[in-house]
Amino acid sequence: MSFFISADSLMYYEHYECPAKGAKTLVMIHGAGLNSTFWQSIVPLLEWRYSILLYDLSGHGQSSEGHADISWELLTGELHALLRSLRVDRVTLLGHDFGAHLAVQFALSYGSMVESLILISPFAHLPLTSLHKEYKLRASLAKKASRQTLGEAMVKRMSVKHQDAVLTQRIVQAFERVHFPTYAQMVELAIKPVFPKDYLLLQKPVLLLSGEQDPVFTPALAGLTHAQLETTGFLVVPDASSLVFVDQPIYSADWIDAFSRKPLPGQRNNAINRELRQHVQQLTKQGYEHWGGNRIRIRCLGKFEVCLNDRIVPGGWNTRYAKSLMIYLAFHPTATREQLCEALFPEVEHPNAMRNLRVYLSHFSKLLEAIDAEKPCLTIGRDVVKLHYLVDCDLMEFLNDLQQVAAEQDSEVKYGLCEDLLSRLSGKLMPGCYDPFALSLKEKVEQLWEGITLWAADYCMQTGKGGQAVPFLLSGLQHGYADETLYYDRLIAIYQQSGNTKELRKWVRKKRNSLSTPPAEEKL
């Protein structure tokens, strides 16, 4: 057991020195939330040929909590200082998850020290909304949920052996020891939606490993990542998830050994691969440019607010159907005038509706006049109205997340998602919007939220966390669509169990008042 002091923090490491002459050094960098012990599944298979260095990232395992601000410079500097203290000047880097990104950053900063890289299930750099939401969920759970909840949510994402009680406990305990502010910063650092120039600058041999059953860094996603890079070998490990070296240690160790001894040249320079690489790089670049382009942000949860490229659009939204037009176009960026009339004021006769719409659109277009932008936010044609900016609408995201949570089968993951949703919903839904389209959206949200809040409350009560059920029930009463007695019954059961007589009387009284015929007086 050894510790190294770097930049006012304590770093835990283990150094296995191979007695063989000229033995290469493998540096193994674990993923966010885990620790160096997870590499022990392959250390015995490699230490006879290689010197091996394991260490716990800042805020993980036995290392100290770390720093207020995490950066690539800080993390790569800590590893560099550790290597210098051990007088190691040439390494092969193995990185898993966040550790794979750290390996890339280290290779860019200290290239002369790096012989090759093995990247296992890295955070993928492709402009996919669902992928970005997965990483945002991890950061959100780290900020708002318990360590145990996050650990339990991650187990099935990481290993096909998630039914192994010992492994599950190890992963959950690893997350329980993590300094969560550091973990959240690491995730956010790795997912910044920028074109992955860092990967394209790599001129080192790289081996990409993807688990056949990895639900995040899928084999298809790994293949696209591989297609962008000139110097990579690529392998899908069968019957494995993200932790390929835990799920298939012998298979993984054999490939790590083979690649470390002789990096795979592959057929990266043939004409087909060159053309494919150019196309994938261009598509990825265009995707990130679209993400980074002009954006309109619409807030509908709690209050109504519109921003054009971070500039708040002031008043004028409470007149001439401006809010209604904004919400409809957020969900349908291209719409005909007929579609707008039918969705927003179907009760008005068509000629009158079309005349009114001209007035409403004139007012609406003035609100969305872009400043210092080459491309207009809105164009109004003779027949078609089109919103050109990328839409970022909290209601749309919330509705998509509600549907995702409703379909989630894993209870631990589902509850973690419920906690995140609860923290985002406050105040009124779409205040001041009463057109048929807005009301249909509100009804859809309320129906989904009813089922989710009741499920979350029942989950809390079944797992002995009745007190945590109360916020879900109160939110369901405020925003739900169901019979209020469904919520009253659960609140009454919670306060009966906790012995809180005051709250018990309150909710019994509310239930009685909600019934058409009050029941006989009950003894409390």
Side-chain angles (χ1 to χ4, degrees), residues 120-121 157-160 208-222 234-245 247-248 251-252:
I120 304 171
S121 303
R157 285 165 162 78
M158 289 190 163
S159 175
V160 296
L208 270 178
L209 294 182
S210 167
E212 179 188 27
Q213 299 184 42
D214 191 329
V216 181
F217 191 67
T218 64
L221 198 54
F234 170 45
L235 177 69
V236 176
V237 179
D239 196 24
S241 189
S242 174
L243 286 166
V244 299
F245 48 92
D247 290 342
Q248 297 293 343
Y251 195 98
S252 301

Side-chain angles (χ1 to χ4, degrees), residues 446 450 453-454 472-493 506-516:
E446 289 174 341
E450 166 204 324
T453 53
L454 291 174
F472 286 105
L473 294 171
L474 296 180
S475 181
L477 280 170
Q478 181 181 1
H479 299 291
Y481 198 73
D483 180 355
E484 291 180 341
T485 57
L486 293 173
Y487 295 97
Y488 294 150
D489 288 340
R490 287 166 170 80
L491 287 164
I492 289 169
K506 169 185 169 182
W507 292 106
V508 168
R509 184 169 61 251
K510 284 181 177 290
K511 179 181 177 180
R512 287 174 177 168
N513 292 339
S514 70
L515 300 174
S516 56

